[in-house]
């Protein structure tokens, strides 16, 4: 088993303090999730819906002919 890799604190601080222009107190107050969002991680995870997925959703949840809205039950 390989040892777990630690965080690149020097790299994270360089990006946070220089690129993002955070003050040290602001950098250290961030949660890892907040820092990841600021660095753009996870942005590409949300892909646009393709035609086949859209068609599958239409088949699963068709519009009602009378125009009424669906209620959660």
């Amino acid at each position: 088993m390989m040892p777990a890799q630690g965080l690149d604190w020097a790299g994270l601080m360089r990006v946070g303090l220089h690129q993002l222009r955070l003050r040290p107190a602001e950098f250290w107050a961030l949660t890892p999730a907040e820092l990841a969002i600021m660095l753009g991680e996870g942005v590409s995870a949300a892909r646009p819906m393709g035609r086949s997925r859209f068609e599958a959703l239409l088949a699963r949840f068709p519009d009602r002919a009378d125009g009424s809205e669906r209620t959660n039950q």
Side-chain angles (χ1 to χ4, degrees), residues 2-27:
M2 294 181 58
Q5 294 288 324
L7 290 176
D8 177 11
W9 287 110
L12 290 173
M13 289 173 60
R14 189 170 29 261
V15 171
L17 300 176
H18 294 287
Q19 185 177 338
L20 298 175
R21 299 178 186 241
L22 298 170
R23 295 184 187 123
E26 294 169 328
F27 174 81

Side-chain angles (χ1 to χ4, degrees), residues 34-64:
E34 291 168 331
L35 183 57
I37 289 169
M38 292 178 80
L39 295 175
E41 292 192 21
V43 173
S44 62
R47 297 180 313 185
M49 183 182 303
R51 185 67 181 187
S52 62
R53 177 71 176 131
F54 178 69
E55 294 291 340
L57 285 172
L58 283 176
R60 186 171 177 196
F61 303 103
D63 291 337
R64 293 181 179 217

